[in-house]
Amino acid sequence: MPTDRLREELVTLLPRLRRFARALARNPQDADDLVQTAVERALLHAGQLREAAPLAAWLYGILRNAWIDEQRARARRGRLFAAVDSGEQVADATHAAPADSLAVQDALGRLPDEQRLAVALVLIEGLSYKEAAHLMEVPIGTLTSRLARARETLQAILGDTGIAQR
């Protein structure tokens, strides 16, 4: 893919990458850093992108790997991700009250990493089960199980707030 075209498509995908990064990192500043790292890596390794490969899936994979790298580095340094209390929205909240959006964001933050990643890829970003399973490097059945457990957990958490009944 020509560099100019790659850059144009990267710019188009930035909102989706930021949304995905926020679902993973649970902190807007960390999410922005993840997106920047992913874009840098994508531009640096643009020659590895196969012509027929979907750019979005490739970028999600780069972002996911950057997130894993960052988690490992923070664990080595003994640091934790920031708490989910910044008030930033995970997704577009134009149809939900701000308190509902914060409750959903908090509920997502309580999920284990592998379940939050599955929810981010399938339910937030709209990837197919096959695409998400490929990016997560797990069988589709494992992805399905993680989504089912995540939905149950979210239902339980959000059921306490009354959001799940709407």
Side-chain angles (χ1 to χ4, degrees), residues 2 5 18 34 36 56 76 85 87 97-98 102 138 144 165:
R5 186 169 144 227
R18 288 189 77 221
L34 276 175
Q36 180 176 345
R76 284 191 301 272
D85 60 358
L102 290 174
V138 298
T144 303
Q165 284 80 27

Side-chain angles (χ1 to χ4, degrees), residues 30-53:
D30 290 341
D32 288 344
D33 290 345
L34 276 175
V35 171
Q36 180 176 345
T37 299
V39 169
E40 287 174 2
R41 288 180 184 179
L43 291 172
L44 183 63
H45 301 289
Q48 295 177 2
L49 177 62
R50 288 171 283 157
E51 192 65 36

Side-chain angles (χ1 to χ4, degrees), residues 22-24 26 84 90-91 101-113 115-117 119-120 123-124 150 154 157-158:
R22 284 186 179 199
L24 294 176
R26 299 176 285 179
V84 183
V90 171
S101 295
L102 290 174
V104 171
Q105 181 179 3
D106 180 60
L108 282 170
R110 293 184 194 186
L111 292 175
D113 290 341
Q115 290 178 18
R116 192 173 63 255
L117 178 60
V119 167
L123 301 178
I124 295 174
L154 290 172
I157 294 169
L158 296 173

Side-chain angles (χ1 to χ4, degrees), residues 34-103:
L34 276 175
V35 171
Q36 180 176 345
T37 299
V39 169
E40 287 174 2
R41 288 180 184 179
L43 291 172
L44 183 63
H45 301 289
Q48 295 177 2
L49 177 62
R50 288 171 283 157
E51 192 65 36
L55 180 62
W58 186 63
L59 287 167
Y60 284 137
I62 292 172
L63 197 139
R64 174 186 162 267
N65 290 336
W67 173 66
I68 290 169
D69 292 347
E70 179 62 22
Q71 277 193 309
R72 289 177 181 156
R74 286 181 183 213
R76 284 191 301 272
R77 290 188 304 260
R79 291 175 44 197
L80 299 174
F81 278 109
V84 183
D85 60 358
S86 64
E88 293 292 327
Q89 308 303 314
V90 171
D92 182 16
T94 56
H95 300 294
D100 290 352
S101 295
L102 290 174

Side-chain angles (χ1 to χ4, degrees), residues 127-140:
L127 268 63
S128 70
Y129 281 31
K130 183 179 179 180
E131 291 171 320
H134 177 73
L135 284 172
M136 293 176 66
E137 299 174 347
V138 298
I140 290 178

